[in-house]
Amino acid sequence: MARNIQSLERAAAMLRLLAGGERRLGLSDIASSLGLAKGTAHGILRTLQHEGFVEQDEASGRYQLGAELLRLGTTYLDVHELRARALVWTDDLARSSGESVHLGVLHQQGVLIVHHVFRPDDSRQVLEIGAMQPLHSTALGKVLSAYDPVAHSEALEADRKAFTDRTVCEPDRFEHILDLTRARGYAADVEETWEGIASIAAPIHDRRRMPVGAVGITGAVERLCRDGELRPELVAAVRDCARAVSRDLGAGRF
């Protein structure tokens, strides 16, 4: 069995200590409560403070939890709420389109799949929750890059790999695609990431009208396209799903 990293265990114990009991604790209180030398406790606290997980009151010198922990917690709650609100609508989208449905959010310069509904047939499929997709070539990634300024910057700064001969890697062409995505309200990927595979995605907004994710369908090109164009009824179904989830998150009408 792999050994735990002692410094991380101590940092986690310190955060739990600060999360319970008194609002602020001094260095001596923290060190004695955890059985640590003051120098060791101070070193861990300085690191946590540098990362924003701990704050020190200037007047008293006491420590408390920092704003970065709140941000991380809010992010988790947002993703959890997003998935919960999307369950019914993504199931409906899978049934109406006959294709698999993915729900994705921005994570570490890519798209993290947080929910996946299988294509409603008897084919063998692999659950992709937790998988990562690129920002620049997938429909989900293009939607996030078009509507989320952070995703946009990360997509431009990242190494845009050519997965197929259809992948758009040049910055100017990529920006044009994002402009088109914003203009029509959805993004497409037709064999830009995987040969023979197409996808359609649309943005999801929260009550602040901020982009919090994207939802889309993925399937064989011959099913999603007709006469070389995306089937309009599938585009409409994806956009309707995204709007429904957005409304459930309090975004109102789009």
Side-chain angles (χ1 to χ4, degrees):
M1 180 182 294
R3 297 179 61 186
N4 293 338
I5 300 174
Q6 188 180 56
S7 59
L8 292 180
E9 288 183 327
R10 288 172 170 174
M14 200 169 286
L15 293 174
R16 292 191 187 99
L17 179 65
L18 290 170
E22 296 182 28
R23 180 175 173 78
R24 296 188 178 95
L25 292 173
L27 175 60
S28 296
D29 298 325
I30 295 172
S32 61
S33 296
L34 299 178
L36 300 174
K38 281 188 179 181
T40 300
H42 187 245
I44 296 172
L45 284 167
R46 285 186 61 185
T47 301
L48 291 173
Q49 185 178 0
H50 177 74
E51 297 298 328
F53 297 136
V54 164
E55 296 174 356
Q56 186 178 27
D57 180 69
E58 292 183 4
S60 67
R62 290 175 173 267
Y63 295 90
Q64 64 183 28
L65 294 180
E68 182 65 11
L69 277 177
L70 176 62
R71 187 190 70 81
L72 292 177
T74 302
T75 300
Y76 170 77
L77 290 173
D78 285 348
V79 171
H80 182 73
E81 183 182 7
L82 172 62
R83 184 177 180 276
R85 297 288 186 179
L87 289 176
V88 172
W89 301 112
T90 50
D91 283 348
D92 287 346
L93 178 59
R95 282 192 295 268
S96 65
S97 68
E99 302 296 343
S100 62
V101 178
H102 295 90
L103 186 69
V105 298
L106 176 65
H107 180 68
Q108 296 181 350
Q109 296 187 321
V111 183
L112 174 66
I113 303 302
V114 296
H115 185 53
H116 176 199
V117 183
F118 282 162
R119 185 170 63 254
D121 59 19
D122 295 327
S123 63
R124 184 177 179 179
Q125 300 172 63
V126 177
L127 187 65
E128 296 181 26
I129 294 176
M132 293 291 293
Q133 293 186 4
L135 285 170
H136 70 286
S137 63
T138 61
L140 292 172
K142 292 176 191 176
V143 164
L144 293 174
S145 300
Y147 288 89
D148 186 335
V150 176
H152 178 250
S153 297
E154 292 186 351
L156 290 177
E157 293 170 2
D159 179 20
R160 292 180 297 280
K161 177 182 176 181
F163 298 103
T164 72
D165 58 6
R166 292 174 176 262
T167 309
V168 174
C169 301
E170 299 82 0
D172 290 345
R173 291 183 61 200
F174 183 63
E175 288 284 15
H176 175 71
I177 288 174
L178 299 188
D179 288 340
L180 182 61
T181 298
R182 286 186 287 268
R184 63 189 184 182
Y186 71 92
D189 163 14
V190 180
E191 297 190 282
E192 293 179 50
T193 311
W194 302 281
E195 296 283 355
I197 300 297
S199 59
I200 306 166
I204 296 172
H205 297 80
D206 66 6
R207 60 184 61 87
R208 299 162 297 174
R209 298 296 182 96
M210 297 294 292
V212 293
V215 63
I217 60 173
T218 300
V221 171
E222 58 267 24
R223 294 198 304 268
L224 267 65
C225 297
R226 182 187 301 124
D227 299 327
E229 300 290 336
L230 293 171
R231 292 168 53 193
E233 67 272 22
L234 294 180
V235 172
V238 171
R239 295 193 66 194
D240 286 346
C241 177
R243 283 193 289 260
V245 178
S246 297
R247 284 196 300 270
D248 275 6
L249 288 172
R253 296 182 62 84
F254 272 86

